[in-house]
Amino acid sequence: MAERKELARALDDDARFGELQLESLSPSPAKAVQELSEYEWRSPGGAAEVRADQGPDGREMLDQRFAGMKQALENATDEDRQRINEMLDDLNDLLDKHFAARTRLKTFKTS
């Protein structure tokens, strides 16, 4: 990503904070794009990459991924559904921890 290269070259504390923000992005593409909407870009190339992901091609890719997931869930067994529920519980726990960490980072930056 162009933004990571730009941040690596910079020597200021804001660049280090930017690196932390990028490292802590959500693994969910939709959530990551949402998080990046508030990000202060240093690299025009990085901002352009995210805008491209938000465009029709990016949406089409996400639609295809969700369609595949829907099809897989329609053919799931009870055991599969139980494992999916456990996975979603784990994911929710991870997201809660991620949100708490981001809140601490924001508090740290404003202090």
Side-chain angles (χ1 to χ4, degrees):
M1 177 187 259
E3 183 71 7
R4 290 184 194 274
K5 290 179 185 177
E6 186 72 28
L7 292 172
R9 286 187 222 126
L11 301 176
D12 57 291
D13 290 339
D14 286 339
R16 301 298 71 81
F17 183 72
E19 288 173 329
L20 284 173
Q21 286 180 294
L22 293 178
E23 289 173 14
S24 65
L25 286 174
S26 173
S28 160
K31 181 77 172 162
V33 167
Q34 180 184 11
E35 291 169 1
L36 288 172
S37 69
E38 299 173 14
Y39 181 78
E40 293 182 32
W41 294 96
R42 289 181 175 227
S43 161
E49 288 174 13
V50 171
R51 280 194 301 275
D53 287 345
Q54 291 174 328
D57 293 338
R59 283 191 206 112
E60 183 177 312
M61 180 188 72
L62 287 175
D63 288 345
Q64 289 174 357
R65 181 171 286 173
F66 285 118
M69 290 170 50
K70 180 182 176 190
Q71 183 180 10
L73 288 173
E74 288 172 349
N75 299 320
T77 64
D78 288 340
E79 182 180 321
D80 293 335
R81 287 185 189 87
Q82 177 60 35
R83 289 176 43 212
I84 290 168
N85 284 334
E86 291 169 3
M87 180 187 70
L88 291 173
D89 288 342
D90 290 344
L91 178 60
N92 284 328
D93 290 342
L94 180 65
L95 291 172
D96 289 342
K97 290 175 185 174
H98 176 75
F99 176 75
R102 288 190 58 85
T103 301
R104 284 193 299 272
L105 278 174
K106 285 180 183 179
T107 301
F108 175 74
K109 185 176 181 183
T110 58
S111 298

